[in-house]
Amino acid sequence: ELTVQLATQKALGSAALPALKVYKFLRENYGIKTLSATMANVSFNTNEAQWVYKHTGHWPAMNCVDFIHMGEPYANYSDMTQMIDWWDNNGIVLACWHWRVPVAEGSEAKDFYAKNNTFNPANALIPGTWENQFIETDIENLVVILKQFQSAGIPVIWRPFHEAAGGWFWWGTGGGETYVKLWRWMFNKLVVEHRINNLIWVWTTETNDDSWYPGEDYVDIIGRDMYNQASATAIASEFSAAQ
């Protein structure tokens, strides 16, 4: 039997984690099988997965949701029907967060792109700053959503703060040291403080980003985002570099 351990498991000291079964499945099939996946249509649904099934007769193995509109009145993250149905039908759930923050102090406009805002990730870790007040409130809202998954017994492959070293998102503008602190802050908030035990943590690598790695105690999987790649050789090279 394959013996594995999650970062969450290390922090909580418990082997009885909902995510462990999924993590073992991924480890056992690494290099053997490829799992297909779809991304939700903007937010919290299986719309794209349904489109794939309609046109192919097959469901993807995984479906990814995004907490991009958390806190907006038009976004309903409390309706877990599609997520529960997906899991009950042997689908794997992933989640990411294009974290929209105020573009400036006191502004109602929000964005996740660095070029569009003045949000300082270093300040976000300093109590008393407006940036810190915002992320502390937002993380509590996230906890409510993630605990819905936990209560329903649904493990989540969790991919926050992606593509950081690229610098185009606000969480990547403070350099590697600040980024690592931000990642560990989130991990400690969700896992240690709120005891969320159903997450499999995915860190997304870029190029020349060794100093951005949060550490083995905070990461379960390393992934890589690639766009508009027509060359299988280039993709294989990136895959090898990430191992």
Side-chain angles (χ1 to χ4, degrees), residues 56-70:
T56 69
H58 299 281
W59 291 98
M62 304 185 288
N63 185 72
C64 185
V65 298
D66 192 342
F67 300 140
I68 184 172
H69 292 309
M70 189 179 65

Side-chain angles (χ1 to χ4, degrees), residues 106-243:
S107 175
E108 293 185 2
K110 296 179 182 178
D111 206 328
F112 47 81
Y113 282 120
K115 65 181 181 180
N116 296 332
N117 67 57
T118 61
F119 195 92
N120 188 325
N123 286 349
L125 298 171
I126 301 175
T129 64
W130 69 270
E131 293 98 334
N132 179 256
Q133 291 173 359
F134 178 82
I135 68 168
E136 290 285 352
T137 298
D138 245 21
I139 205 74
E140 295 300 320
N141 294 331
L142 177 67
V143 165
V144 173
I145 301 172
L146 292 178
K147 284 197 171 182
Q148 291 180 155
F149 283 95
Q150 182 166 299
S151 296
I154 302 175
V156 177
I157 298 177
W158 173 231
R159 194 175 75 108
F161 298 134
H162 61 293
E163 303 174 14
W168 41 81
F169 297 131
W170 66 262
W171 51 83
T173 59
E177 183 178 355
T178 295
Y179 173 77
V180 169
K181 290 179 180 178
L182 196 62
W183 180 286
R184 293 182 179 181
W185 166 84
M186 176 183 281
F187 183 94
N188 287 325
K189 277 286 182 180
L190 298 182
V191 176
V192 180
E193 183 174 330
H194 289 286
R195 314 290 291 182
I196 295 176
N197 65 6
N198 63 325
L199 303 179
I200 300 171
W201 290 75
V202 181
W203 178 71
T204 308
T205 182
E206 293 289 322
T207 56
N208 302 316
D209 60 356
D210 289 350
S211 64
W212 297 68
Y213 183 56
E216 291 186 0
D217 289 340
Y218 301 89
V219 174
D220 298 307
I221 299 173
I222 295 176
R224 179 74 164 97
D225 286 355
M226 299 184 69
Y227 303 94
N228 304 317
Q229 284 287 346
S231 169
T233 301
I235 295 172
S237 177
E238 291 286 351
F239 177 78
S240 297
Q243 294 186 77

